[in-house]
Amino acid sequence: MNKSYDLLIFDWDGTLADSIGRIVEAMNVAAGRAGEAPSSDEAVKGIIGLALGEAIATLYPHLDAQQVEAFRRHYADVYMALDQQPSPLFDGVVESLEAFRAEGYRLAVATGKARRGLDRVLKANGWEGYFDITRAADETRGKPHPLMLEEILAHCRVEPGRALMVGDSAFDLQMASNAGMHSVAVGYGAMSLQALAEFGPQVCIEHFSQLREWLAEPAQINFQGR
């Protein structure tokens, strides 16, 4: 166990689960139902991590609050239909999380998903009660506001300097910085490592299992730029 950290906090979509393509598809199908033009894949990827209402308002700033809510309902219906079988976890996630637990790390999730959606995917993976705490965007402030992380830290009684946020979006890394925490950028999700590097992660990784390697020997391994 890396003596620098006690608590590992993970984003869900694009970090633990391979769900980015499904989110992009659902957003654009929902746009059609709402009478709006679809957004580019890159534009949708750029809002992943935000709470859903804020994400829609960012993509379609001309919508009023009532229209955003109608769009949000369309998205929820479409995503549920697409996600009858929850998105698979990335290679190495299950084995790495089990290893982290065995090594004594505390584990948490901080996600832009709603609580209902998070509980559904946790149940599908048999992970109810697996994490020390999980926080969803509709029960706290959304990313990049630090409140979500502050609540996790308080629950676990861990100081910010002893915790690490792992995520695939600028919002994850900004949230960590706002909370006074270190972060790890993953390059296989919503945003490229080149885009994420400017937010000052401790390390950039291209495969989830590289997190285990880096935590084992952080002074010797740096995957940034591979």
Side-chain angles (χ1 to χ4, degrees):
M1 179 175 177
N2 184 327
K3 298 302 183 182
S4 298
Y5 303 107
D6 301 315
L7 170 63
L8 306 179
I9 306 172
F10 301 95
D11 169 60
W12 188 271
D13 293 309
T15 299
L16 298 182
D18 188 4
S19 50
I20 300 302
R22 196 168 289 182
I23 292 171
V24 172
E25 181 180 359
M27 188 65 74
N28 285 329
V29 172
R33 293 187 181 183
E36 300 294 331
S39 297
S40 69
D41 289 2
E42 289 307 308
V44 177
K45 290 178 181 179
I47 53 80
I48 293 174
L50 293 174
L52 182 54
E54 185 179 355
I56 293 166
T58 300
L59 287 173
Y60 300 94
H62 60 280
L63 298 181
D64 61 28
Q66 187 174 4
Q67 291 170 316
V68 168
E69 175 57 24
F71 195 127
R72 187 198 65 77
R73 291 195 297 269
H74 288 311
Y75 175 90
D77 291 343
V78 173
Y79 192 84
M80 284 292 291
L82 292 172
D83 208 46
Q84 292 296 313
Q85 179 66 34
S87 299
L89 301 172
F90 285 108
D91 289 345
V93 165
V94 172
E95 299 86 348
S96 295
L97 293 183
E98 286 294 332
F100 293 146
R101 280 167 45 114
E103 291 163 8
Y105 288 104
R106 304 189 71 177
L107 306 180
V109 169
T111 179
K113 299 177 85 67
R115 170 51 63 182
R116 183 177 72 165
L118 178 60
D119 284 347
R120 183 172 59 83
V121 294
L122 289 172
K123 182 177 181 180
N125 286 286
W127 278 356
E128 305 102 315
Y130 185 91
F131 296 94
D132 288 81
I133 181 175
T134 61
R135 298 299 286 162
D138 60 344
E139 60 192 7
T140 183
R141 293 287 298 273
K143 302 173 185 179
H145 194 282
L147 182 60
M148 189 182 298
L149 294 182
E150 290 168 352
E151 291 170 344
I152 291 172
L153 293 170
H155 174 86
C156 295
R157 298 182 179 181
V158 172
E159 293 298 316
R162 303 289 302 176
L164 188 67
M165 176 70 205
V166 184
D168 68 312
S169 79
F171 308 114
D172 296 320
L173 274 57
Q174 288 174 315
M175 178 175 63
S177 178
N178 291 340
M181 287 174 47
H182 287 160
S183 63
V184 169
V186 304
Y188 50 77
M191 298 183 68
S192 69
L193 290 183
Q194 182 177 3
L196 294 173
E198 67 180 271
F199 297 99
Q202 295 298 102
V203 68
C204 298
I205 62 174
E206 289 281 15
H207 190 281
F208 193 85
S209 63
Q210 290 177 331
L211 179 62
R212 283 181 65 190
E213 299 174 45
W214 179 75
L215 286 171
E217 295 290 346
Q220 299 179 39
I221 299 178
N222 189 325
F223 298 100
Q224 189 167 340
R226 282 195 178 185

